[in-house]
Amino acid sequence: MFRLPLPLPRPRRTLSDPAAALAGAVLALACAAPLAADTADLGDPDLIEQVTLRDGARLHTQVHLPPGDGPFPAILVRTPYGVPTQISGPVALDEEAEEDPAALLATWAPVFDRGYAVVFQNTRGRGLSGGIDKLFTTEREDGADTAAWLTAQPWSDGTFVLTGDSADGFAGLLTAASRPEGLRGGFFQASCGNLMREGVVRRTGGLQMESLAPWIYVQVGNSGPENLEMLAGLGVDPEAVEEEAGALFGTLLGDDPAAAAAAFAATPAAKIGMLPQLQPVWTDFVTEAGQARLAPYFDTAEALEVPILHVGLWQDIFLDCTIDVFARAEARVGNQHLVVLDGTHYDIDDPATWPDGFAQALGDWLDALDGTQPMPPKVRYVVENAAAPEVLTAAAWPPATVGERVLYLQPGGGLEAAPQAGALGRIVADPADPTPTLGGRNLFIEAGAADQAPILGRDDVLLFKGEPLAEDLVIAGQVTLDLAIRAEAQDADVVGKLVAISPDGTARLIVESLLRARYRDGREAPKAVVPGAEVPLTLALGHTAHRLAAGERLAVILQGANAPRWDSTAGLDADPALSVPGGPVAFEVLAPAAGAALRLSVLDAEGRG
């Protein structure tokens, strides 16, 4: 038996350079200390338990009790990472502090001060927990079993609240979806309650490969003992994992975005390196057959019942998922709340990210659940790109707006108020030279509102720009784009971007998305394109609240790829996750008779609806 060494701590959101963190984690696959058999380096919990699940797997669980005799309500954090883990936001921790259990526990002071116990648990197959890691596909059941154990403990008052950031939130939301007895609420940040619909797998788009593939490699080093035995039984060599991961990440994080794009676009997702061995459910997770089977399991919005505060960020990889789960659960049960902040995934731990301070927000939410203060406004959000901080509230998302502004893509490259039918241009997406990713809602590569000007000279990119704005324009809501394509193959990817072009030529990315023509009716119902036929498409580019300044121009960019953020279609009547790209995929973009319409919901200049 071998033991893959533990990597350095996960690329935590407190790190200013997530790329450096990822590189460090890969390096640590070779040189870090082996997985410890004891728990001396995990802090000084009041209790260390092994919670036995219904199938016999045992999960490592730490309990930290507040002062007093109890019984206590609890906060439960179920994590694939190390325990204890930091609560985001109250203080900024450097990398050394992140390895200090006392410093990590100190960040939970707002919870202890309110008399809550804090319970950390490694999820199945991770850290010191037993069982085989199955990429969150057992978290409903495992969470329900953990909840039953927790509420039966002598120190427990029979109630608990779930919380977690990012992947911790995946496990937490799936636990909440099991509707366990004693659950009073949840607080989830930069997370996703529907990974197979609006998360790393998109219902009408592709796979977010810059996030999916690296995350699996990095997590190998945090495997639990039984998971390591499973990998050894499959013949997985830790040195080979290190070598392959180093090559993959070296390309992904290198200085040549075209090389990174081509490396990810040239290989079907289900066949990338050792991924099918490292994660047994990898193929199910990325293929069409797996979508049909797993999507209902991951859709927590249809099962949430308790009040939950969903926290997202405008440039976070999971923002659309956060809003999707909030909106659908809110429409069903009416007790959900939403906060959207400015920043990317890793900014959630920056104390400056929260307008009123994270500690205060967490404390207010716990007090609201306890009934000692009123519930907060239904929706609170920060407006991107404002000269001064703008924090708005609303009764729903999208908020009430002044109205819809519709602009139409023109055959000559304009973006105007009047529709005009006709051919808008031809795109040839070459898997050997795909359009490279520049910013956006990424996890490991550069994220945020990056300048798109470097790709505007490519002949596989189309640009449609409007006239300079006479006054500020505030967009708030979902941005959509209606158009049509005529493809020369049986499938095509259409990437749409909304950008703001400044007088100096900078093209700031606002929102973007990919729609795979094969999935125009949903990934659960793939349908080939008839070559030469006109196919109408509606791209949901994403949610935003963004201020454009007078003098800027609204613009739309169209592409046939965006790699390595997204995987690429093979252009065939076949599952792209299993198919080798057959060569360039060409299609003509058309404005149908009603026009190719960009639809924006707008506020007034003061940010009011």
Side-chain angles (χ1 to χ4, degrees), residues 179-492:
R179 301 175 177 175
E181 292 290 332
L183 177 61
R184 294 173 44 241
F187 189 110
F188 301 109
Q189 299 189 121
S191 192
C192 180
N194 203 340
L195 286 171
M196 302 288 282
R197 176 184 171 115
E198 295 289 348
V200 289
V201 180
R202 294 295 182 96
R203 181 173 178 267
T204 57
L207 309 170
Q208 297 200 167
M209 292 309 300
E210 71 83 28
S211 310
L212 271 171
W215 195 84
I216 298 298
Y217 277 99
V218 169
Q219 301 316 312
V220 170
N222 197 35
S223 290
E226 292 177 36
N227 207 69
L228 290 170
E229 291 181 8
M230 179 274 295
L231 293 174
L234 293 176
V236 174
D237 179 358
E239 293 185 3
V241 174
E242 176 213 343
E243 181 178 349
E244 183 170 286
L248 178 70
F249 301 149
T251 300
L252 180 67
L253 303 174
D255 296 328
D256 186 351
F264 273 77
T267 305
K271 301 178 182 180
I272 293 177
M274 302 174 69
L275 287 177
Q277 292 174 282
L278 300 180
Q279 180 45 254
V281 299
W282 172 257
T283 300
D284 286 342
F285 206 80
V286 299
T287 58
E288 292 174 355
Q291 170 84 14
R293 183 171 63 83
L294 294 178
Y297 185 92
F298 281 106
D299 189 359
T300 64
E302 298 305 314
L304 299 178
E305 292 184 330
V306 298
I308 292 176
L309 181 60
H310 306 262
V311 182
L313 304 100
W314 289 124
Q315 294 298 330
D316 175 33
I317 178 177
F318 301 119
L319 186 275
D320 287 334
C321 182
T322 297
I323 291 179
D324 170 75
V325 172
F326 158 76
R328 291 194 296 122
E330 169 65 11
R332 188 174 56 80
V333 294
N335 59 4
Q336 308 293 290
H337 291 256
L338 175 69
V339 172
V340 187
L341 307 170
D342 198 6
T344 68
H345 188 76
Y346 295 89
D347 290 328
I348 195 64
D349 275 346
D350 185 343
T353 297
W354 273 92
D356 301 320
F358 172 79
Q360 185 64 46
L362 173 62
D364 288 348
W365 182 246
L366 292 176
D367 291 344
L369 292 177
D370 289 339
T372 59
Q373 74 172 41
M375 281 286 178
K378 183 64 68 174
V379 175
R380 290 168 285 168
Y381 62 99
V382 177
V383 178
E384 274 192 311
N385 200 51
E390 292 186 53
V391 183
L392 305 180
T393 62
W397 186 268
T401 56
V402 171
E404 183 181 61
R405 179 171 297 191
V406 183
L407 297 171
Y408 295 90
L409 282 60
Q410 305 293 310
L415 188 62
E416 301 176 4
Q420 184 176 346
L424 298 175
R426 186 171 182 266
I427 292 175
V428 180
D430 185 351
D433 183 25
T435 313
T437 299
L438 294 177
R441 296 169 179 172
N442 304 314
L443 188 63
F444 288 118
I445 61 178
E446 179 191 6
D451 183 11
Q452 304 299 296
I455 64 171
L456 294 183
R458 292 178 58 107
D459 54 12
D460 59 353
V461 173
L462 303 178
L463 173 66
F464 305 85
K465 59 182 180 180
E467 295 298 319
L469 296 171
E471 59 183 6
D472 282 11
L473 176 68
V474 183
I475 305 166
Q478 173 72 270
V479 178
T480 61
L481 179 61
D482 297 323
L483 48 74
I485 65 168
R486 183 180 291 120
E488 298 175 14
Q490 293 176 303
D491 195 11

Side-chain angles (χ1 to χ4, degrees), residues 2-61:
F2 69 86
R3 293 187 182 276
L4 282 177
L6 273 173
L8 297 176
R10 59 178 167 136
R12 295 186 60 87
R13 294 168 292 283
T14 49
L15 295 175
S16 59
D17 184 356
L22 176 57
V26 174
L27 178 64
L29 284 170
C31 61
L35 182 68
D38 59 61
T39 59
D41 61 336
L42 296 180
D44 187 20
D46 295 281
L47 299 167
I48 297 177
E49 305 280 358
Q50 300 298 321
V51 176
T52 302
L53 305 180
R54 65 189 67 184
D55 65 351
R58 291 164 59 82
L59 303 189
H60 177 81
T61 307

